[in-house]
mmCIF file with all atom_site columns, all heavy atoms in Angstrom:
data_model
loop_
_atom_site.group_PDB
_atom_site.id
_atom_site.type_symbol
_atom_site.label_atom_id
_atom_site.label_alt_id
_atom_site.label_comp_id
_atom_site.label_asym_id
_atom_site.label_entity_id
_atom_site.label_seq_id
_atom_site.pdbx_PDB_ins_code
_atom_site.Cartn_x
_atom_site.Cartn_y
_atom_site.Cartn_z
_atom_site.occupancy
_atom_site.B_iso_or_equiv
_atom_site.pdbx_formal_charge
_atom_site.auth_seq_id
_atom_site.auth_comp_id
_atom_site.auth_asym_id
_atom_site.auth_atom_id
_atom_site.pdbx_PDB_model_num
ATOM 1   N N   . VAL A 1 175 ? 11.087 -14.395 6.010  1.00 95.00 ? 795  VAL A N   1
ATOM 2   C CA  . VAL A 1 175 ? 11.042 -15.257 7.186  1.00 95.00 ? 795  VAL A CA  1
ATOM 3   C C   . VAL A 1 175 ? 12.472 -15.435 7.707  1.00 95.00 ? 795  VAL A C   1
ATOM 4   O O   . VAL A 1 175 ? 13.437 -15.253 6.964  1.00 95.00 ? 795  VAL A O   1
ATOM 5   C CB  . VAL A 1 175 ? 10.409 -16.625 6.854  1.00 95.00 ? 795  VAL A CB  1
ATOM 6   C CG1 . VAL A 1 175 ? 8.993  -16.441 6.335  1.00 95.00 ? 795  VAL A CG1 1
ATOM 7   C CG2 . VAL A 1 175 ? 11.257 -17.410 5.854  1.00 95.00 ? 795  VAL A CG2 1
ATOM 8   N N   . PRO A 1 176 ? 12.625 -15.810 8.984  1.00 91.00 ? 796  PRO A N   1
ATOM 9   C CA  . PRO A 1 176 ? 13.975 -16.002 9.507  1.00 91.00 ? 796  PRO A CA  1
ATOM 10  C C   . PRO A 1 176 ? 14.717 -17.159 8.844  1.00 91.00 ? 796  PRO A C   1
ATOM 11  O O   . PRO A 1 176 ? 15.915 -17.078 8.573  1.00 91.00 ? 796  PRO A O   1
ATOM 12  C CB  . PRO A 1 176 ? 13.745 -16.278 10.991 1.00 91.00 ? 796  PRO A CB  1
ATOM 13  C CG  . PRO A 1 176 ? 12.419 -15.650 11.292 1.00 91.00 ? 796  PRO A CG  1
ATOM 14  C CD  . PRO A 1 176 ? 11.606 -15.854 10.052 1.00 91.00 ? 796  PRO A CD  1
ATOM 15  N N   . PHE A 1 180 ? 11.250 -21.633 11.131 1.00 87.00 ? 800  PHE A N   1
ATOM 16  C CA  . PHE A 1 180 ? 10.452 -20.406 11.220 1.00 87.00 ? 800  PHE A CA  1
ATOM 17  C C   . PHE A 1 180 ? 10.074 -19.943 9.809  1.00 87.00 ? 800  PHE A C   1
ATOM 18  O O   . PHE A 1 180 ? 10.799 -19.180 9.164  1.00 87.00 ? 800  PHE A O   1
ATOM 19  C CB  . PHE A 1 180 ? 11.226 -19.325 11.960 1.00 87.00 ? 800  PHE A CB  1
ATOM 20  C CG  . PHE A 1 180 ? 11.659 -19.742 13.346 1.00 87.00 ? 800  PHE A CG  1
ATOM 21  C CD1 . PHE A 1 180 ? 13.001 -19.926 13.641 1.00 87.00 ? 800  PHE A CD1 1
ATOM 22  C CD2 . PHE A 1 180 ? 10.730 -19.969 14.337 1.00 87.00 ? 800  PHE A CD2 1
ATOM 23  C CE1 . PHE A 1 180 ? 13.406 -20.308 14.910 1.00 87.00 ? 800  PHE A CE1 1
ATOM 24  C CE2 . PHE A 1 180 ? 11.116 -20.367 15.610 1.00 87.00 ? 800  PHE A CE2 1
ATOM 25  C CZ  . PHE A 1 180 ? 12.468 -20.537 15.899 1.00 87.00 ? 800  PHE A CZ  1
ATOM 26  N N   . ILE A 1 183 ? 6.361  -14.822 9.138  1.00 97.00 ? 803  ILE A N   1
ATOM 27  C CA  . ILE A 1 183 ? 7.016  -13.581 9.541  1.00 97.00 ? 803  ILE A CA  1
ATOM 28  C C   . ILE A 1 183 ? 7.050  -13.516 11.064 1.00 97.00 ? 803  ILE A C   1
ATOM 29  O O   . ILE A 1 183 ? 6.133  -13.994 11.747 1.00 97.00 ? 803  ILE A O   1
ATOM 30  C CB  . ILE A 1 183 ? 6.284  -12.348 8.960  1.00 97.00 ? 803  ILE A CB  1
ATOM 31  C CG1 . ILE A 1 183 ? 7.205  -11.129 8.957  1.00 97.00 ? 803  ILE A CG1 1
ATOM 32  C CG2 . ILE A 1 183 ? 4.990  -12.061 9.682  1.00 97.00 ? 803  ILE A CG2 1
ATOM 33  C CD1 . ILE A 1 183 ? 6.658  -9.944  8.178  1.00 97.00 ? 803  ILE A CD1 1
ATOM 34  N N   . TYR A 1 184 ? 8.128  -12.968 11.613 1.00 97.00 ? 804  TYR A N   1
ATOM 35  C CA  . TYR A 1 184 ? 8.234  -12.746 13.055 1.00 97.00 ? 804  TYR A CA  1
ATOM 36  C C   . TYR A 1 184 ? 8.448  -11.265 13.302 1.00 97.00 ? 804  TYR A C   1
ATOM 37  O O   . TYR A 1 184 ? 9.151  -10.588 12.548 1.00 97.00 ? 804  TYR A O   1
ATOM 38  C CB  . TYR A 1 184 ? 9.364  -13.590 13.659 1.00 97.00 ? 804  TYR A CB  1
ATOM 39  C CG  . TYR A 1 184 ? 8.913  -15.014 13.846 1.00 97.00 ? 804  TYR A CG  1
ATOM 40  C CD1 . TYR A 1 184 ? 8.947  -15.912 12.788 1.00 97.00 ? 804  TYR A CD1 1
ATOM 41  C CD2 . TYR A 1 184 ? 8.373  -15.446 15.053 1.00 97.00 ? 804  TYR A CD2 1
ATOM 42  C CE1 . TYR A 1 184 ? 8.480  -17.212 12.935 1.00 97.00 ? 804  TYR A CE1 1
ATOM 43  C CE2 . TYR A 1 184 ? 7.907  -16.743 15.209 1.00 97.00 ? 804  TYR A CE2 1
ATOM 44  C CZ  . TYR A 1 184 ? 7.959  -17.619 14.142 1.00 97.00 ? 804  TYR A CZ  1
ATOM 45  O OH  . TYR A 1 184 ? 7.476  -18.890 14.298 1.00 97.00 ? 804  TYR A OH  1
ATOM 46  N N   . TYR A 1 185 ? 7.827  -10.787 14.395 1.00 98.00 ? 805  TYR A N   1
ATOM 47  C CA  . TYR A 1 185 ? 7.739  -9.348  14.609 1.00 98.00 ? 805  TYR A CA  1
ATOM 48  C C   . TYR A 1 185 ? 9.115  -8.720  14.797 1.00 98.00 ? 805  TYR A C   1
ATOM 49  O O   . TYR A 1 185 ? 9.624  -8.021  13.921 1.00 98.00 ? 805  TYR A O   1
ATOM 50  C CB  . TYR A 1 185 ? 6.797  -9.068  15.778 1.00 98.00 ? 805  TYR A CB  1
ATOM 51  C CG  . TYR A 1 185 ? 6.583  -7.595  16.090 1.00 98.00 ? 805  TYR A CG  1
ATOM 52  C CD1 . TYR A 1 185 ? 7.115  -6.578  15.295 1.00 98.00 ? 805  TYR A CD1 1
ATOM 53  C CD2 . TYR A 1 185 ? 5.820  -7.214  17.190 1.00 98.00 ? 805  TYR A CD2 1
ATOM 54  C CE1 . TYR A 1 185 ? 6.913  -5.241  15.585 1.00 98.00 ? 805  TYR A CE1 1
ATOM 55  C CE2 . TYR A 1 185 ? 5.602  -5.876  17.491 1.00 98.00 ? 805  TYR A CE2 1
ATOM 56  C CZ  . TYR A 1 185 ? 6.163  -4.899  16.695 1.00 98.00 ? 805  TYR A CZ  1
ATOM 57  O OH  . TYR A 1 185 ? 5.954  -3.574  16.996 1.00 98.00 ? 805  TYR A OH  1
ATOM 58  N N   . TRP A 1 186 ? 9.754  -8.949  15.952 1.00 98.00 ? 806  TRP A N   1
ATOM 59  C CA  . TRP A 1 186 ? 10.951 -8.156  16.211 1.00 98.00 ? 806  TRP A CA  1
ATOM 60  C C   . TRP A 1 186 ? 12.126 -8.589  15.344 1.00 98.00 ? 806  TRP A C   1
ATOM 61  O O   . TRP A 1 186 ? 12.995 -7.771  15.034 1.00 98.00 ? 806  TRP A O   1
ATOM 62  C CB  . TRP A 1 186 ? 11.281 -8.120  17.694 1.00 98.00 ? 806  TRP A CB  1
ATOM 63  C CG  . TRP A 1 186 ? 11.974 -9.284  18.332 1.00 98.00 ? 806  TRP A CG  1
ATOM 64  C CD1 . TRP A 1 186 ? 11.614 -10.588 18.293 1.00 98.00 ? 806  TRP A CD1 1
ATOM 65  C CD2 . TRP A 1 186 ? 13.131 -9.211  19.173 1.00 98.00 ? 806  TRP A CD2 1
ATOM 66  N NE1 . TRP A 1 186 ? 12.468 -11.338 19.059 1.00 98.00 ? 806  TRP A NE1 1
ATOM 67  C CE2 . TRP A 1 186 ? 13.417 -10.526 19.606 1.00 98.00 ? 806  TRP A CE2 1
ATOM 68  C CE3 . TRP A 1 186 ? 13.949 -8.166  19.617 1.00 98.00 ? 806  TRP A CE3 1
ATOM 69  C CZ2 . TRP A 1 186 ? 14.486 -10.821 20.451 1.00 98.00 ? 806  TRP A CZ2 1
ATOM 70  C CZ3 . TRP A 1 186 ? 15.015 -8.473  20.457 1.00 98.00 ? 806  TRP A CZ3 1
ATOM 71  C CH2 . TRP A 1 186 ? 15.278 -9.784  20.864 1.00 98.00 ? 806  TRP A CH2 1
ATOM 72  N N   . ASP A 1 187 ? 12.134 -9.842  14.908 1.00 98.00 ? 807  ASP A N   1
ATOM 73  C CA  . ASP A 1 187 ? 13.164 -10.272 13.962 1.00 98.00 ? 807  ASP A CA  1
ATOM 74  C C   . ASP A 1 187 ? 13.227 -9.343  12.753 1.00 98.00 ? 807  ASP A C   1
ATOM 75  O O   . ASP A 1 187 ? 14.307 -9.060  12.223 1.00 98.00 ? 807  ASP A O   1
ATOM 76  C CB  . ASP A 1 187 ? 12.859 -11.679 13.444 1.00 98.00 ? 807  ASP A CB  1
ATOM 77  C CG  . ASP A 1 187 ? 12.890 -12.746 14.503 1.00 98.00 ? 807  ASP A CG  1
ATOM 78  O OD1 . ASP A 1 187 ? 12.168 -12.617 15.519 1.00 98.00 ? 807  ASP A OD1 1
ATOM 79  O OD2 . ASP A 1 187 ? 13.620 -13.730 14.329 1.00 98.00 ? 807  ASP A OD2 1
ATOM 80  N N   . SER A 1 188 ? 12.049 -8.904  12.310 1.00 98.00 ? 808  SER A N   1
ATOM 81  C CA  . SER A 1 188 ? 11.968 -8.221  11.022 1.00 98.00 ? 808  SER A CA  1
ATOM 82  C C   . SER A 1 188 ? 12.727 -6.898  11.011 1.00 98.00 ? 808  SER A C   1
ATOM 83  O O   . SER A 1 188 ? 13.308 -6.534  9.986  1.00 98.00 ? 808  SER A O   1
ATOM 84  C CB  . SER A 1 188 ? 10.500 -7.996  10.648 1.00 98.00 ? 808  SER A CB  1
ATOM 85  O OG  . SER A 1 188 ? 9.854  -9.235  10.451 1.00 98.00 ? 808  SER A OG  1
ATOM 86  N N   . TYR A 1 189 ? 12.737 -6.176  12.121 1.00 98.00 ? 809  TYR A N   1
ATOM 87  C CA  . TYR A 1 189 ? 13.475 -4.917  12.152 1.00 98.00 ? 809  TYR A CA  1
ATOM 88  C C   . TYR A 1 189 ? 14.956 -5.153  11.896 1.00 98.00 ? 809  TYR A C   1
ATOM 89  O O   . TYR A 1 189 ? 15.584 -4.475  11.066 1.00 98.00 ? 809  TYR A O   1
ATOM 90  C CB  . TYR A 1 189 ? 13.285 -4.203  13.486 1.00 98.00 ? 809  TYR A CB  1
ATOM 91  C CG  . TYR A 1 189 ? 14.252 -3.041  13.671 1.00 98.00 ? 809  TYR A CG  1
ATOM 92  C CD1 . TYR A 1 189 ? 14.173 -1.913  12.856 1.00 98.00 ? 809  TYR A CD1 1
ATOM 93  C CD2 . TYR A 1 189 ? 15.258 -3.100  14.636 1.00 98.00 ? 809  TYR A CD2 1
ATOM 94  C CE1 . TYR A 1 189 ? 15.065 -0.856  13.000 1.00 98.00 ? 809  TYR A CE1 1
ATOM 95  C CE2 . TYR A 1 189 ? 16.152 -2.050  14.792 1.00 98.00 ? 809  TYR A CE2 1
ATOM 96  C CZ  . TYR A 1 189 ? 16.052 -0.933  13.968 1.00 98.00 ? 809  TYR A CZ  1
ATOM 97  O OH  . TYR A 1 189 ? 16.957 0.100   14.113 1.00 98.00 ? 809  TYR A OH  1
ATOM 98  N N   . PHE A 1 190 ? 15.523 -6.119  12.569 1.00 98.00 ? 810  PHE A N   1
ATOM 99  C CA  . PHE A 1 190 ? 16.959 -6.371  12.439 1.00 98.00 ? 810  PHE A CA  1
ATOM 100 C C   . PHE A 1 190 ? 17.294 -6.972  11.077 1.00 98.00 ? 810  PHE A C   1
ATOM 101 O O   . PHE A 1 190 ? 18.362 -6.716  10.524 1.00 98.00 ? 810  PHE A O   1
ATOM 102 C CB  . PHE A 1 190 ? 17.425 -7.262  13.583 1.00 98.00 ? 810  PHE A CB  1
ATOM 103 C CG  . PHE A 1 190 ? 17.217 -6.626  14.923 1.00 98.00 ? 810  PHE A CG  1
ATOM 104 C CD1 . PHE A 1 190 ? 16.102 -6.932  15.691 1.00 98.00 ? 810  PHE A CD1 1
ATOM 105 C CD2 . PHE A 1 190 ? 18.106 -5.681  15.406 1.00 98.00 ? 810  PHE A CD2 1
ATOM 106 C CE1 . PHE A 1 190 ? 15.889 -6.325  16.917 1.00 98.00 ? 810  PHE A CE1 1
ATOM 107 C CE2 . PHE A 1 190 ? 17.902 -5.062  16.629 1.00 98.00 ? 810  PHE A CE2 1
ATOM 108 C CZ  . PHE A 1 190 ? 16.789 -5.381  17.386 1.00 98.00 ? 810  PHE A CZ  1
ATOM 109 N N   . THR A 1 191 ? 16.374 -7.731  10.527 1.00 97.00 ? 811  THR A N   1
ATOM 110 C CA  . THR A 1 191 ? 16.557 -8.224  9.161  1.00 97.00 ? 811  THR A CA  1
ATOM 111 C C   . THR A 1 191 ? 16.577 -7.069  8.174  1.00 97.00 ? 811  THR A C   1
ATOM 112 O O   . THR A 1 191 ? 17.441 -6.993  7.289  1.00 97.00 ? 811  THR A O   1
ATOM 113 C CB  . THR A 1 191 ? 15.421 -9.201  8.815  1.00 97.00 ? 811  THR A CB  1
ATOM 114 O OG1 . THR A 1 191 ? 15.430 -10.291 9.739  1.00 97.00 ? 811  THR A OG1 1
ATOM 115 C CG2 . THR A 1 191 ? 15.580 -9.743  7.408  1.00 97.00 ? 811  THR A CG2 1
ATOM 116 N N   . MET A 1 192 ? 15.645 -6.141  8.337  1.00 98.00 ? 812  MET A N   1
ATOM 117 C CA  . MET A 1 192 ? 15.517 -5.014  7.402  1.00 98.00 ? 812  MET A CA  1
ATOM 118 C C   . MET A 1 192 ? 16.713 -4.074  7.446  1.00 98.00 ? 812  MET A C   1
ATOM 119 O O   . MET A 1 192 ? 16.959 -3.339  6.486  1.00 98.00 ? 812  MET A O   1
ATOM 120 C CB  . MET A 1 192 ? 14.223 -4.258  7.701  1.00 98.00 ? 812  MET A CB  1
ATOM 121 C CG  . MET A 1 192 ? 12.972 -5.041  7.317  1.00 98.00 ? 812  MET A CG  1
ATOM 122 S SD  . MET A 1 192 ? 11.457 -4.403  8.086  1.00 98.00 ? 812  MET A SD  1
ATOM 123 C CE  . MET A 1 192 ? 11.416 -2.749  7.428  1.00 98.00 ? 812  MET A CE  1
ATOM 124 N N   . MET A 1 206 ? 6.841  -5.087  3.964  1.00 98.00 ? 826  MET A N   1
ATOM 125 C CA  . MET A 1 206 ? 6.828  -5.659  5.312  1.00 98.00 ? 826  MET A CA  1
ATOM 126 C C   . MET A 1 206 ? 6.249  -4.690  6.323  1.00 98.00 ? 826  MET A C   1
ATOM 127 O O   . MET A 1 206 ? 5.475  -5.077  7.214  1.00 98.00 ? 826  MET A O   1
ATOM 128 C CB  . MET A 1 206 ? 8.238  -6.094  5.700  1.00 98.00 ? 826  MET A CB  1
ATOM 129 C CG  . MET A 1 206 ? 8.699  -7.320  4.913  1.00 98.00 ? 826  MET A CG  1
ATOM 130 S SD  . MET A 1 206 ? 10.425 -7.777  5.189  1.00 98.00 ? 826  MET A SD  1
ATOM 131 C CE  . MET A 1 206 ? 10.412 -8.263  6.910  1.00 98.00 ? 826  MET A CE  1
ATOM 132 N N   . ASN A 1 222 ? 3.134  -12.034 17.692 1.00 98.00 ? 842  ASN A N   1
ATOM 133 C CA  . ASN A 1 222 ? 4.464  -12.630 17.668 1.00 98.00 ? 842  ASN A CA  1
ATOM 134 C C   . ASN A 1 222 ? 4.865  -13.026 16.234 1.00 98.00 ? 842  ASN A C   1
ATOM 135 O O   . ASN A 1 222 ? 5.997  -12.825 15.798 1.00 98.00 ? 842  ASN A O   1
ATOM 136 C CB  . ASN A 1 222 ? 4.406  -13.845 18.595 1.00 98.00 ? 842  ASN A CB  1
ATOM 137 C CG  . ASN A 1 222 ? 5.719  -14.532 18.853 1.00 98.00 ? 842  ASN A CG  1
ATOM 138 O OD1 . ASN A 1 222 ? 5.900  -15.121 19.912 1.00 98.00 ? 842  ASN A OD1 1
ATOM 139 N ND2 . ASN A 1 222 ? 6.668  -14.525 17.916 1.00 98.00 ? 842  ASN A ND2 1
ATOM 140 N N   . GLN A 1 233 ? 5.417  -9.039  20.483 1.00 98.00 ? 853  GLN A N   1
ATOM 141 C CA  . GLN A 1 233 ? 6.847  -9.158  20.709 1.00 98.00 ? 853  GLN A CA  1
ATOM 142 C C   . GLN A 1 233 ? 7.376  -7.749  20.946 1.00 98.00 ? 853  GLN A C   1
ATOM 143 O O   . GLN A 1 233 ? 6.628  -6.772  20.867 1.00 98.00 ? 853  GLN A O   1
ATOM 144 C CB  . GLN A 1 233 ? 7.543  -9.834  19.516 1.00 98.00 ? 853  GLN A CB  1
ATOM 145 C CG  . GLN A 1 233 ? 7.591  -11.342 19.612 1.00 98.00 ? 853  GLN A CG  1
ATOM 146 C CD  . GLN A 1 233 ? 8.600  -11.971 18.664 1.00 98.00 ? 853  GLN A CD  1
ATOM 147 O OE1 . GLN A 1 233 ? 8.794  -11.529 17.534 1.00 98.00 ? 853  GLN A OE1 1
ATOM 148 N NE2 . GLN A 1 233 ? 9.230  -13.042 19.117 1.00 98.00 ? 853  GLN A NE2 1
ATOM 149 N N   . PRO A 1 234 ? 8.674  -7.610  21.279 1.00 98.00 ? 854  PRO A N   1
ATOM 150 C CA  . PRO A 1 234 ? 9.196  -6.256  21.512 1.00 98.00 ? 854  PRO A CA  1
ATOM 151 C C   . PRO A 1 234 ? 8.786  -5.302  20.391 1.00 98.00 ? 854  PRO A C   1
ATOM 152 O O   . PRO A 1 234 ? 8.991  -5.601  19.211 1.00 98.00 ? 854  PRO A O   1
ATOM 153 C CB  . PRO A 1 234 ? 10.716 -6.484  21.542 1.00 98.00 ? 854  PRO A CB  1
ATOM 154 C CG  . PRO A 1 234 ? 10.852 -7.858  22.107 1.00 98.00 ? 854  PRO A CG  1
ATOM 155 C CD  . PRO A 1 234 ? 9.711  -8.638  21.511 1.00 98.00 ? 854  PRO A CD  1
ATOM 156 N N   . PHE A 1 236 ? 9.055  -3.055  17.917 1.00 98.00 ? 856  PHE A N   1
ATOM 157 C CA  . PHE A 1 236 ? 9.983  -2.375  17.013 1.00 98.00 ? 856  PHE A CA  1
ATOM 158 C C   . PHE A 1 236 ? 9.304  -1.810  15.767 1.00 98.00 ? 856  PHE A C   1
ATOM 159 O O   . PHE A 1 236 ? 9.996  -1.361  14.851 1.00 98.00 ? 856  PHE A O   1
ATOM 160 C CB  . PHE A 1 236 ? 11.096 -3.333  16.589 1.00 98.00 ? 856  PHE A CB  1
ATOM 161 C CG  . PHE A 1 236 ? 12.239 -3.426  17.567 1.00 98.00 ? 856  PHE A CG  1
ATOM 162 C CD1 . PHE A 1 236 ? 12.268 -4.421  18.530 1.00 98.00 ? 856  PHE A CD1 1
ATOM 163 C CD2 . PHE A 1 236 ? 13.292 -2.523  17.518 1.00 98.00 ? 856  PHE A CD2 1
ATOM 164 C CE1 . PHE A 1 236 ? 13.331 -4.516  19.426 1.00 98.00 ? 856  PHE A CE1 1
ATOM 165 C CE2 . PHE A 1 236 ? 14.347 -2.603  18.412 1.00 98.00 ? 856  PHE A CE2 1
ATOM 166 C CZ  . PHE A 1 236 ? 14.369 -3.603  19.368 1.00 98.00 ? 856  PHE A CZ  1
ATOM 167 N N   . MET A 1 240 ? 10.897 0.180   12.352 1.00 98.00 ? 860  MET A N   1
ATOM 168 C CA  . MET A 1 240 ? 10.758 -0.230  10.954 1.00 98.00 ? 860  MET A CA  1
ATOM 169 C C   . MET A 1 240 ? 10.178 0.904   10.113 1.00 98.00 ? 860  MET A C   1
ATOM 170 O O   . MET A 1 240 ? 10.620 1.145   8.986  1.00 98.00 ? 860  MET A O   1
ATOM 171 C CB  . MET A 1 240 ? 9.879  -1.474  10.867 1.00 98.00 ? 860  MET A CB  1
ATOM 172 C CG  . MET A 1 240 ? 10.526 -2.726  11.411 1.00 98.00 ? 860  MET A CG  1
ATOM 173 S SD  . MET A 1 240 ? 9.496  -4.189  11.143 1.00 98.00 ? 860  MET A SD  1
ATOM 174 C CE  . MET A 1 240 ? 8.912  -4.502  12.800 1.00 98.00 ? 860  MET A CE  1
ATOM 175 N N   . GLU A 1 521 ? 21.327 -18.751 13.563 1.00 94.00 ? 1141 GLU A N   1
ATOM 176 C CA  . GLU A 1 521 ? 20.414 -18.020 14.444 1.00 94.00 ? 1141 GLU A CA  1
ATOM 177 C C   . GLU A 1 521 ? 21.150 -17.378 15.610 1.00 94.00 ? 1141 GLU A C   1
ATOM 178 O O   . GLU A 1 521 ? 20.828 -16.263 16.020 1.00 94.00 ? 1141 GLU A O   1
ATOM 179 C CB  . GLU A 1 521 ? 19.379 -19.017 14.949 1.00 94.00 ? 1141 GLU A CB  1
ATOM 180 C CG  . GLU A 1 521 ? 18.377 -18.477 15.925 1.00 94.00 ? 1141 GLU A CG  1
ATOM 181 C CD  . GLU A 1 521 ? 17.543 -19.576 16.548 1.00 94.00 ? 1141 GLU A CD  1
ATOM 182 O OE1 . GLU A 1 521 ? 18.001 -20.741 16.593 1.00 94.00 ? 1141 GLU A OE1 1
ATOM 183 O OE2 . GLU A 1 521 ? 16.427 -19.268 16.992 1.00 94.00 ? 1141 GLU A OE2 1
ATOM 184 N N   . PHE A 1 542 ? 19.956 -16.784 8.135  1.00 90.00 ? 1162 PHE A N   1
ATOM 185 C CA  . PHE A 1 542 ? 18.982 -16.617 9.210  1.00 90.00 ? 1162 PHE A CA  1
ATOM 186 C C   . PHE A 1 542 ? 18.759 -15.133 9.306  1.00 90.00 ? 1162 PHE A C   1
ATOM 187 O O   . PHE A 1 542 ? 19.700 -14.392 9.542  1.00 90.00 ? 1162 PHE A O   1
ATOM 188 C CB  . PHE A 1 542 ? 19.485 -17.188 10.564 1.00 90.00 ? 1162 PHE A CB  1
ATOM 189 C CG  . PHE A 1 542 ? 18.369 -17.243 11.570 1.00 90.00 ? 1162 PHE A CG  1
ATOM 190 C CD1 . PHE A 1 542 ? 17.521 -18.319 11.594 1.00 90.00 ? 1162 PHE A CD1 1
ATOM 191 C CD2 . PHE A 1 542 ? 18.152 -16.198 12.435 1.00 90.00 ? 1162 PHE A CD2 1
ATOM 192 C CE1 . PHE A 1 542 ? 16.475 -18.369 12.504 1.00 90.00 ? 1162 PHE A CE1 1
ATOM 193 C CE2 . PHE A 1 542 ? 17.095 -16.241 13.352 1.00 90.00 ? 1162 PHE A CE2 1
ATOM 194 C CZ  . PHE A 1 542 ? 16.256 -17.338 13.368 1.00 90.00 ? 1162 PHE A CZ  1
ATOM 195 N N   . GLY A 1 543 ? 17.509 -14.719 9.119  1.00 94.00 ? 1163 GLY A N   1
ATOM 196 C CA  . GLY A 1 543 ? 17.138 -13.338 8.888  1.00 94.00 ? 1163 GLY A CA  1
ATOM 197 C C   . GLY A 1 543 ? 17.900 -12.270 9.625  1.00 94.00 ? 1163 GLY A C   1
ATOM 198 O O   . GLY A 1 543 ? 18.558 -11.425 9.026  1.00 94.00 ? 1163 GLY A O   1
ATOM 199 N N   . TRP A 1 544 ? 17.822 -12.257 10.969 1.00 97.00 ? 1164 TRP A N   1
ATOM 200 C CA  . TRP A 1 544 ? 18.394 -11.104 11.664 1.00 97.00 ? 1164 TRP A CA  1
ATOM 201 C C   . TRP A 1 544 ? 19.909 -11.153 11.713 1.00 97.00 ? 1164 TRP A C   1
ATOM 202 O O   . TRP A 1 544 ? 20.558 -10.104 11.773 1.00 97.00 ? 1164 TRP A O   1
ATOM 203 C CB  . TRP A 1 544 ? 17.782 -10.886 13.019 1.00 97.00 ? 1164 TRP A CB  1
ATOM 204 C CG  . TRP A 1 544 ? 17.864 -11.951 14.075 1.00 97.00 ? 1164 TRP A CG  1
ATOM 205 C CD1 . TRP A 1 544 ? 18.673 -13.039 14.141 1.00 97.00 ? 1164 TRP A CD1 1
ATOM 206 C CD2 . TRP A 1 544 ? 17.057 -11.974 15.256 1.00 97.00 ? 1164 TRP A CD2 1
ATOM 207 N NE1 . TRP A 1 544 ? 18.438 -13.753 15.291 1.00 97.00 ? 1164 TRP A NE1 1
ATOM 208 C CE2 . TRP A 1 544 ? 17.442 -13.126 16.002 1.00 97.00 ? 1164 TRP A CE2 1
ATOM 209 C CE3 . TRP A 1 544 ? 16.064 -11.143 15.759 1.00 97.00 ? 1164 TRP A CE3 1
ATOM 210 C CZ2 . TRP A 1 544 ? 16.859 -13.455 17.218 1.00 97.00 ? 1164 TRP A CZ2 1
ATOM 211 C CZ3 . TRP A 1 544 ? 15.480 -11.471 16.979 1.00 97.00 ? 1164 TRP A CZ3 1
ATOM 212 C CH2 . TRP A 1 544 ? 15.879 -12.610 17.696 1.00 97.00 ? 1164 TRP A CH2 1
#
Side-chain angles (χ1 to χ4, degrees):
V795 301
F800 303 112
I803 200 170
Y804 281 83
Y805 182 5
W806 79 307
D807 296 55
S808 295
Y809 168 66
F810 299 97
T811 301
M812 290 163 61
M826 289 174 66
N842 187 151
Q853 272 196 323
F856 276 95
M860 290 185 253
E1141 177 190 24
F1162 191 85
W1164 60 16

